Amino acid sequence: MDATPAESEAATTEEARLDAALGAEVRAMRARRGWSQEALAEKTGYNKKTIIRLEHGERAMTMAQMYKICRVFGIRPSDLVLAAEKEIGIQ
């Protein structure tokens, strides 16, 4: 069964909010460590532009990117997702 346009729009909006919350959590963790975006890019192997887009929620984070970023921070991907869900009120 296909989603209605309203359901599709709501899902897209929620996805955008989650992308933004994930990015905000990455930005906050980076800042707490005193790392620049360049430093995080170096540690993950991604370029600075990718880090900027992820942190601003302009780009959806792939599972591979999430895993690599979380590994650099020493946390589990589930910890990052839980923090982002709390941020946007998904429980």
Side-chain angles (χ1 to χ4, degrees), residues 25-82:
E25 289 299 321
V26 168
R27 186 171 51 250
M29 287 188 294
R30 177 181 58 74
R32 282 194 296 272
R33 286 165 176 77
W35 297 349
S36 66
Q37 290 169 327
E38 292 89 358
L40 181 56
E42 259 183 48
K43 292 173 187 302
T44 59
Y46 298 121
N47 62 46
K48 180 182 173 186
K49 190 172 187 174
T50 297
I51 298 300
I52 291 169
R53 286 181 173 167
L54 292 172
E55 285 188 354
H56 289 106
E58 296 169 2
R59 180 174 177 180
M61 195 177 302
T62 67
M63 287 300 295
Q65 288 170 325
M66 183 182 299
Y67 178 77
K68 189 178 270 190
I69 289 168
C70 288
R71 189 173 56 202
V72 166
F73 286 127
I75 65 168
R76 297 183 315 235
S78 59
D79 295 332
L80 179 62
V81 172
L82 280 172

Side-chain angles (χ1 to χ4, degrees), residues 10-22 78-91:
T12 301
T13 300
E14 188 169 89
E15 289 168 8
R17 290 178 56 222
L18 184 56
D19 290 340
L22 286 167
S78 59
D79 295 332
L80 179 62
V81 172
L82 280 172
E85 287 177 335
K86 279 185 180 179
E87 179 70 28
I88 62 173
I90 297 175
Q91 304 265 328

